[in-house]
């Protein structure tokens, strides 16, 4: 099939590479300009550079809603449009233009975790598996019929970075598997169960601020979800920002006021956690490594030279 691809960052790059390695003919690529947004500088393999290396025409757009782009798409005469990590709305006159419509590739197990940063949100929420879905695009974001979907398990110590590497390897088989079904003439695919749908927003600074009223199990997953190269989860100690680079749920149960710097356990320092921590039935969060406001990284038991005091969510 003649394919036009809309894509950005490493997700788009992997999709384009899969298409270039396939029997399909990539006739045009549309991608976003480079961005300084914290999350868009991560996994930033260039779709434009890969396309240019293979002699594929490239169009750069923030939004795909201008007449010039529409006319170029018509001239490209695609059988199908394939999108992955396109960051803005694609209007119906574009996604309905190709003979077979538009296939969108999304890094979650739809209908759950539509929208943005699905791996991070899924890890924080304790999901047992994540994956990649290829679905037909319609008027509702990430809601069209599923053509192909594949999953991988979430391990007990997996970080968001681990899950990125697991799922990015699914992009090629999911994309080409879906295109093979469409090229073979199939038109009936799996309807999404909209009662199971969830939609998540872009990650921002407020989403990585530690709330010590959260249970230790959730905070431990937040720390793993904000693994390098993502911005680290943070708290404040004595008025200064402190990033938590690694942590585990404590073995012991610790009662008291959330945020209290309480006890050395193993290689970590336990912080009281959970809104009901005063009942004395909660595990704490044992922080094992931190980064200070001036950029120093060190073990938590070296940073916390004495117990007592509190970690807070504001300076």
């Amino acid at each position: 099939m003649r394919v036009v691809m809309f894509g950005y960052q490493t997700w788009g790059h992997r999709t384009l590479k899969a298409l270039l390695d396939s029997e399909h003919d990539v006739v045009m690529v549309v991608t976003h300009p480079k961005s300084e947004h914290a999350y868009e500088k991560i996994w930033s393999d260039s779709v434009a550079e890969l396309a240019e290396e293979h002699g594929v025409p490239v169009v750069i757009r923030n939004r795909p809603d201008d007449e010039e782009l529409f006319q170029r798409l018509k001239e490209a005469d695609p059988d199908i449009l394939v999108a992955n990590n396109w960051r803005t709305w694609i209007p119906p006159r574009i996604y309905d233009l190709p003979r077979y419509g538009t296939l969108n590739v999304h890094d979650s197990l739809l209908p759950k975790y539509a929208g943005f940063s699905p791996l991070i949100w899924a890890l924080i929420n304790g999901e047992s598996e994540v994956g990649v879905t290829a679905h037909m695009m319609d008027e509702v974001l990430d809601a069209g019929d599923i053509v192909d979907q594949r999953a991988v398990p979430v391990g007990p110590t997996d970080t968001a970075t681990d899950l990125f590497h697991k799922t990015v390897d699914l992009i090629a088989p999911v994309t080409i598997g879906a295109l093979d079904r469409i090229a073979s003439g199939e038109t009936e695919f799996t309807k999404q169960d909209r009662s199971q749908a969830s939609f998540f927003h872009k990650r921002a600074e407020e989403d990585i601020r530690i709330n010590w009223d959260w249970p230790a199990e959730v905070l431990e997953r937040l720390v793993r979800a904000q693994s390098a190269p993502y911005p680290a989860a943070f708290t404040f100690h004595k008025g200064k920002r402190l990033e938590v680079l690694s942590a585990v749920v404590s073995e012991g149960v610790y009662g008291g006021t959330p945020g209290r710097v309480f006890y050395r356990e193993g290689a970590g320092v336990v912080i009281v956690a959970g809104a009901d921590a005063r009942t004395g039935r909660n595990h704490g969060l044992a922080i094992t490594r931190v980064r200070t406001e001036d950029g120093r990284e060190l073990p938590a038991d070296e940073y916390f030279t004495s117990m007592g005091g509190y970690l807070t969510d504001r300076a």
Side-chain angles (χ1 to χ4, degrees):
M1 293 189 290
R2 292 173 60 82
V3 179
V4 167
M5 201 209 79
F6 278 55
Y8 187 51
Q9 295 179 279
T10 300
W11 295 271
H13 187 278
R14 285 293 189 96
T15 305
L16 178 57
K17 186 176 187 308
L19 292 169
L20 292 169
D21 290 343
S22 75
E23 62 183 7
H24 304 290
D25 182 17
V26 182
V27 296
M28 187 168 125
V29 164
V30 186
T31 190
H32 295 301
K34 290 183 179 179
S35 170
E36 292 303 309
H37 186 283
Y39 284 85
E40 293 185 5
K41 291 167 68 176
I42 300 169
W43 315 128
S44 56
D45 293 305
S46 174
V47 169
E49 290 177 8
L50 180 61
E52 288 165 355
E53 287 170 9
H54 288 80
V56 178
V58 177
V59 178
I60 308 292
R61 288 290 190 277
N62 278 312
R63 302 184 63 86
D65 51 7
D66 60 278
E67 190 61 31
E68 179 190 354
L69 175 59
F70 182 67
Q71 291 303 320
R72 289 191 65 174
L73 288 168
K74 287 179 67 176
E75 291 167 6
D77 191 30
D79 294 308
I80 194 163
L81 192 155
V82 175
N84 191 348
N85 198 40
W86 182 261
R87 311 294 278 181
T88 58
W89 180 65
I90 297 177
R93 72 168 183 166
I94 287 183
Y95 69 68
D96 282 339
L97 176 65
R99 294 173 182 83
Y100 299 107
T102 294
L103 181 76
N104 186 54
V105 182
H106 181 70
D107 55 335
S108 84
L109 296 175
L110 293 175
K112 294 182 178 180
Y113 297 96
F116 299 90
S117 303
L119 295 178
I120 294 176
W121 288 112
L123 179 52
I124 292 170
N125 290 334
E127 299 292 349
S128 62
E129 59 180 10
V130 293
V132 172
T133 303
H135 68 94
M136 302 308 300
M137 187 175 287
D138 61 18
E139 69 277 5
V140 180
L141 183 63
D142 294 335
D145 293 356
I146 294 171
V147 186
D148 201 336
Q149 182 178 80
R150 306 187 192 197
V152 290
V154 177
T157 62
D158 276 346
T159 65
T161 304
D162 295 327
L163 298 183
F164 165 80
H165 288 297
K166 286 183 179 183
T167 55
V168 79
D169 287 341
L170 296 177
I171 288 174
V174 167
T175 301
I176 303 307
L179 289 180
D180 287 347
R181 292 187 67 185
I182 294 166
S184 72
E186 287 189 57
T187 56
E188 297 296 322
F189 305 113
T190 304
K191 300 287 184 185
Q192 291 194 38
D193 179 357
R194 301 308 297 159
S195 70
Q196 299 298 310
S198 57
F199 184 87
F200 286 81
H201 60 72
K202 289 182 180 180
R203 301 288 294 175
E205 179 85 350
E206 193 61 29
D207 301 308
I208 62 176
R209 185 190 305 272
I210 292 175
N211 181 342
W212 293 103
D213 283 340
W214 287 12
E217 293 81 3
V218 178
L219 293 177
E220 186 268 345
R221 294 197 299 267
L222 173 64
V223 171
R224 283 192 283 129
Q226 296 299 149
S227 59
Y230 297 104
F234 70 94
T235 186
F236 289 90
H237 185 229
K238 297 180 180 180
K240 294 185 177 181
R241 180 172 171 137
L242 182 68
E243 295 182 341
V244 179
L245 303 183
S246 61
V248 296
V249 176
S250 69
E251 294 182 7
V253 173
Y254 299 89
T257 303
R260 179 75 171 185
V261 181
F262 191 14
Y263 191 78
R264 295 182 189 276
E265 184 185 275
V269 173
V270 177
I271 314 300
V272 177
D276 60 347
R278 293 169 182 84
T279 65
R281 294 192 293 268
N282 286 15
H283 291 275
L285 184 72
I287 298 175
T288 55
R289 192 164 186 82
V290 298
R291 180 162 54 224
T292 61
E293 201 168 73
D294 61 5
R296 289 184 304 128
E297 290 188 20
L298 65 164
D301 59 1
E302 291 183 18
Y303 172 81
F304 293 103
T305 56
S306 61
M307 299 298 99
Y310 290 87
L311 300 183
T312 60
D313 61 1
R314 293 291 187 274

